[in-house]
Amino acid sequence: MAHLGVADLENTAQAAYGRELRDVARLHGGSKKGVYRLTLDDGTTGVAYVWRASEDYWPEHEYDPLFGNASGRDLFLTAHTALSEAGACVPRLVLVDRDTIVVEDLGGEFLEKVLDHDTEALERFWDDLQAVHQRQSARYGRPSALQPTDAPPVPDVILQRALNHLDACCERVPRIAAERSSLETELRQRHSLIEPRTSYGLIHGELGPDHVLVADGRPVLIDIEGAMFFDVEWEHAFLELRFGPHYRPVASLDPQRLSFYRLAQYLSLVEGPLRLLDGDFPHRDAMREIADHNIERALAQISR
């Protein structure tokens, strides 16, 4: 996949800053959009998010209506507003264009690089996230497209999604195929124990420590397009996986939802990376490692 260069983004830089563009560098990450550092003729920098088909590494796929294709300028903007209003720090907008947004370049480190020694930033992250999760809605979904009141309950949505992921995993992973019946039984049993709920918290949607920058001691959320109102246990099942010993448990969470969503997350983190590898995503070893780890996690969830 060819990356954008100075000639492709010089008009964007001129519109955003009124200056000439000296250099462009595509930053690590970004499977659905291009993330580029813009270096101007005076040495200052900005970051451009570019949503074009040429920047999307994901193969063609029949997306589910809620989670599918969680990318794009409009989703970024609605998430930016919702998270800001909830008390989280997000990058300041510099320019909004048709398929491109330019934000401030915060520099700094990713939270994953400072977990072991920047306890102040980590604690502030957990406090900010708690404030985000306390932002409530009576309906779930994207902030700009909440689901109707008669929509299926969130656990039902996740059950169907997880069963679809299980089917896809069985086609690719013989060890999962051999345990298909046990894994489906486990999903259905955990789902059956969940009590109804009528209020949902705002979540980021894919919040690992690689999606948090630390700038001047403040955690800043990035890759925010997946933000929605949902069961916060869905986010916590991902947080405990990604933060490991640095995860901060929350006593008010529903343990039945957490148990169910853990298994659903593991299956998602097998199916998604393996599907991404069908295309030309460059960081292939990392994706394969994610899939392999979550194969083990999913199989370990089976009751013996």
Side-chain angles (χ1 to χ4, degrees):
M1 181 180 291
H3 297 164
L4 301 181
V6 170
D8 303 294
L9 293 170
E10 59 185 349
N11 290 338
T12 296
Q14 187 64 229
Y17 299 103
R19 304 199 68 93
E20 296 298 317
L21 182 60
R22 189 176 71 198
D23 189 39
V24 169
R26 197 179 200 276
L27 302 182
H28 180 76
S31 62
K32 294 183 179 180
K33 64 179 180 291
V35 183
Y36 292 90
R37 173 167 285 118
L38 311 177
T39 301
L40 307 176
D41 57 4
D42 64 349
T44 60
T45 59
V47 173
Y49 297 140
V50 182
W51 291 274
R52 297 177 187 171
S54 60
E55 299 291 336
D56 189 348
Y57 284 105
W58 287 87
E60 293 267 345
H61 184 65
E62 184 178 340
Y63 292 108
D64 65 73
L66 185 62
F67 287 88
N69 203 22
S71 187
R73 186 202 72 163
D74 292 344
L75 283 178
F76 182 94
L77 292 174
T78 56
H80 191 278
T81 298
L83 291 167
S84 297
E85 291 177 348
C89 187
V90 290
R92 179 179 59 84
L93 299 176
V94 178
L95 174 73
V96 176
D97 205 348
R98 181 175 57 84
D99 60 4
T100 304
I101 288 176
V102 178
V103 300
E104 63 181 328
D105 185 359
L106 293 163
E109 289 273 14
F110 285 101
L111 184 58
E112 66 178 342
K113 300 294 187 182
V114 300
L115 283 173
D116 291 322
H117 60 269
D118 194 341
T119 56
E120 183 176 347
L122 183 60
E123 285 304 306
R124 190 165 186 179
F125 165 75
W126 292 120
D127 290 343
D128 286 355
L129 186 59
Q130 184 176 20
V132 169
H133 287 170
Q134 288 174 348
R135 193 83 162 186
Q136 297 288 302
S137 170
R139 294 183 291 158
Y140 68 87
R142 306 292 177 195
S144 59
L146 295 173
Q147 298 295 298
T149 54
D150 61 350
V154 165
D156 291 7
V157 173
I158 296 299
L159 177 62
Q160 187 56 58
R161 185 173 187 263
L163 291 173
N164 292 342
H165 285 160
L166 178 58
D167 287 342
C169 290
C170 288
E171 295 176 2
R172 298 171 179 269
V173 184
R175 293 175 63 204
I176 289 183
E179 297 287 359
R180 195 215 180 284
S181 178
S182 297
L183 286 164
E184 179 174 352
T185 297
E186 198 70 37
L187 282 167
R188 293 189 182 279
Q189 286 180 343
R190 296 184 189 198
H191 170 267
S192 70
L193 298 175
I194 296 174
E195 297 293 330
R197 174 181 283 171
T198 57
S199 184
Y200 307 95
L202 182 62
I203 68 171
H204 175 282
E206 194 183 1
L207 193 50
D210 57 334
H211 287 170
V212 185
L213 283 169
V214 178
D216 296 325
R218 179 73 191 267
V220 183
L221 305 186
I222 61 172
D223 287 336
I224 59 176
E225 297 97 305
M228 61 181 167
F229 288 97
F230 212 62
D231 281 347
V232 297
E233 289 86 356
W234 177 253
E235 182 125 285
H236 275 275
F238 191 74
L239 289 165
E240 65 179 16
L241 175 63
R242 293 290 285 108
F243 279 83
H246 302 286
Y247 171 69
R248 188 167 82 178
V250 175
S252 60
L253 298 177
D254 176 4
Q256 304 297 350
R257 276 179 165 79
L258 266 179
S259 176
F260 173 52
Y261 292 158
R262 284 187 188 109
L263 179 52
Q265 286 275 16
Y266 299 157
L267 291 170
S268 174
L269 290 168
V270 176
E271 190 276 338
L274 291 182
R275 179 160 48 88
L276 187 57
L277 289 175
D278 288 342
D280 57 355
F281 185 71
H283 310 295
R284 305 186 71 79
D285 290 344
M287 283 298 114
R288 170 57 66 178
E289 186 176 0
I290 290 171
D292 288 345
H293 281 320
N294 284 285
I295 290 169
E296 301 301 329
R297 292 180 178 118
L299 294 173
Q301 294 292 301
I302 298 173
S303 300
R304 302 296 185 183

